Amino acid sequence: MKFVIAGNGIAAITAARTIVAANPNADLEIYTDEPYPSYLRPRLIQFLAGALKQADLYLYPPDWYARRGITVHLETAVTELDAAARRIVLQNGKEASYDRLLLAVGGNPFQPPLEGMDQEGVFTLRTIDDALAIKGHADRCLAAGQRQAVVIGGGLLGLECANALASLGLELTVLEHGPWLLHKQIDEQGAAVLEKQLGQQGIRCLPNAAAQAILRDGDGVSAVELEDGRRVSGHLVLCSAGVRPDTDLARAAGLAVGRGVLVDTEMHTSAEHVYAAGDVTEYEGEAWCIIPAAIEQARVAAANMVTPGSEAYHGTVPSTTLKVVGVDLTSIGMISAEEDGFQELRKADPTKSMYQKLVLHDGRIVGAILMGAREMVPAVSRLIKEGTDVSRYAGRLLDEQFDLAEALQ
Ligand SMILES: Cc1cc2nc3c(=O)[nH]c(=O)nc-3n(C[C@H](O)[C@H](O)[C@H](O)COP(=O)(O)OP(=O)(O)OC[C@H]3O[C@@H](n4cnc5c(N)ncnc54)[C@H](O)[C@@H]3O)c2cc1C
């Protein structure tokens, strides 16, 4: 049986590993448009900050694939899919056939329709090439004494990029369209604690700041203009406004597509023998675009590519961690009680950059914000995942003396 994977990110590699583990003699080909072997995108942040070399980004040494009988075709994008004929067309004009195909082509950074987006000095970060271009521009700015930089988007990625750029010596302002930073991951009280900490690190945060245009002067990019007329100076602008599943290939092939490529519980698309996993997908209305979802989906897709009907996917509890801003922040599942019947437990100490919040429903934890409480993350994650009834401990869950391990038993 011939397995083909379009894409070479974490979803593709997880699926490839699962396929060869189940079927060591599998005929498996990977096609990617990038010129690099598979790498971990979160490491791009440390690469940008100069804390990692390019060679440290790669997931495996070059011979890893060959030793498993996997052929990787770099710089060979899949440009067309003919699902009826079980055939793909490649950017070099050649064709390849498959018995089972996995679409793992990921997503693209959303480019907000701002005036001036398309000019030198304005970036998004998704690939090694993006990171190299940003580093090159940052070096030129610093050499010219132009220290101010702007990040548009106060989400996890925006903040981590801001921190990386600040560590190069740039002065950062983060513009957040919403009323507070990370509004998908934390509530207003948690954001206030985080903002204070970022301020101490020299990163200025402007909430309710809707960018409208990126301005230039004789030297290049000079400022971001906001809808309310304010101007924020910056000679480097990094736009971090979310990710959109890359649905072009699937859409052109006539597959069912919403925000992402629609998949069922087997990660099967609407086309026979075509599966999808990772940022490219939409499952039950959700396009998670995070690594835990990509890994879970890829394992299920690969298992079903080998043995149809063998595994099922039932969604991912979103869990994200801000790693490098000097604050341990993890946000899991539902972060605010949205209706009656939900209960919130909170504890805060802004002087220690500490904020803890648990959201409970029906005696079970359904979400958490854990800032400055790294030691609680594994237990709380498990309690959420396993749906453990914690009602008899509810009043004590955030007590310093309470050991969450007790509730796990
Ligand atoms: C800087 C950064 C930091 C991040 N940090 C985190 C984090 O801390 N935690 C977290 O959960 N998530 C994080 N993410 C998101 C995470 O990286 C993605 O969820 C994950 O990479 C998705 O994996 P994927 O395999 O679905 O897609 P991708 O990693 O996007 O891989 C898709 C691959 O397909 C290739 N491709 C695209 N089109 C074609 C085509 N037509 N033919 C062939 N190949 C094609 C692409 O070049 C790419 O190699 C981060 C993302 C970035 C950019």
Side-chain angles (χ1 to χ4, degrees), residues 5-13 31-34 36 39-45 76-79 91 104-108 125-127 156-157 160-161 243 246 249 277-281 288-294 297 319-321 323:
I5 300 180
N8 194 25
I10 191 75
I13 288 301
Y31 294 92
T32 174
D33 59 351
E34 288 197 69
Y36 310 106
Y39 56 94
L40 288 170
R41 295 188 197 280
R43 290 188 192 161
L44 290 175
I45 301 288
T76 313
V78 177
T79 53
Q91 75 179 71
V105 294
N108 295 314
L125 175 61
R126 182 78 187 174
T127 64
L156 282 168
L157 188 53
E160 293 193 350
C161 288
V243 174
D246 182 350
L249 182 63
D279 283 10
V280 72
T281 64
W288 279 279
C289 297
I290 52 171
I291 288 172
Q297 294 180 351
S319 168
T320 39
T321 302
K323 299 171 293 292

Side-chain angles (χ1 to χ4, degrees), residues 110-119 122-124 152 214 239:
F110 173 59
Q111 309 255 3
L114 304 178
E115 205 185 305
M117 264 300 280
D118 192 18
Q119 60 177 309
V122 183
F123 303 93
T124 55
I152 300 177
I214 299 165
C239 190

Side-chain angles (χ1 to χ4, degrees), residues 15-247:
R17 265 204 320 253
T18 310
I19 291 170
V20 294
N23 187 349
N25 299 318
D27 179 0
L28 174 50
E29 309 244 343
I30 293 179
Y31 294 92
T32 174
D33 59 351
E34 288 197 69
Y36 310 106
S38 193
Y39 56 94
L40 288 170
R41 295 188 197 280
R43 290 188 192 161
L44 290 175
I45 301 288
Q46 290 112 293
F47 178 55
L48 190 58
L52 285 183
K53 296 194 192 67
Q54 189 167 330
D56 301 325
L57 300 174
Y58 302 121
L59 206 47
Y60 297 119
D63 63 345
W64 184 89
Y65 306 90
R67 278 196 280 117
R68 283 159 185 79
I70 303 171
T71 310
V72 183
H73 303 268
L74 301 179
E75 291 184 277
T76 313
V78 177
T79 53
E80 257 179 74
L81 160 63
D82 181 344
R86 283 201 227 157
R87 200 176 54 218
I88 52 171
V89 180
L90 308 168
Q91 75 179 71
N92 56 17
K94 293 187 179 159
E95 296 187 353
S97 60
Y98 63 84
D99 294 304
R100 301 280 183 274
L101 173 70
L102 179 71
L103 291 179
V105 294
N108 295 314
F110 173 59
Q111 309 255 3
L114 304 178
E115 205 185 305
M117 264 300 280
D118 192 18
Q119 60 177 309
E120 213 192 310
V122 183
F123 303 93
T124 55
L125 175 61
R126 182 78 187 174
T127 64
I128 289 181
D129 287 340
D130 293 337
L132 288 168
I134 296 167
K135 274 163 87 80
H137 189 80
D139 287 346
R140 286 191 292 279
C141 285
L142 288 166
Q146 299 174 328
R147 307 191 84 79
Q148 290 162 318
V150 179
V151 170
I152 300 177
L156 282 168
L157 188 53
L159 293 181
E160 293 193 350
C161 288
N163 192 55
L165 293 173
S167 72
L168 296 178
L170 292 167
E171 291 162 11
L172 263 295
T173 304
V174 177
L175 306 178
E176 169 52 44
H177 188 280
W180 62 81
L181 295 175
L182 294 178
H183 59 269
K184 284 192 210 137
Q185 285 88 7
I186 54 176
D187 59 7
E188 192 169 6
Q189 197 181 346
V193 176
L194 180 63
E195 239 174 73
K196 188 161 176 262
Q197 169 78 17
L198 289 170
Q200 284 163 4
Q201 289 168 229
I203 299 174
R204 182 167 76 115
C205 301
L206 284 188
N208 297 310
Q212 169 170 275
I214 299 165
L215 310 177
R216 58 181 299 120
D217 61 17
D219 295 332
V221 166
S222 61
V224 178
E225 186 178 68
L226 307 184
E227 278 176 14
D228 59 15
R230 282 179 289 170
R231 286 185 177 187
V232 180
S233 298
H235 302 280
L236 183 158
V237 175
L238 201 157
C239 190
S240 179
V243 174
R244 296 285 147 100
D246 182 350
T247 56

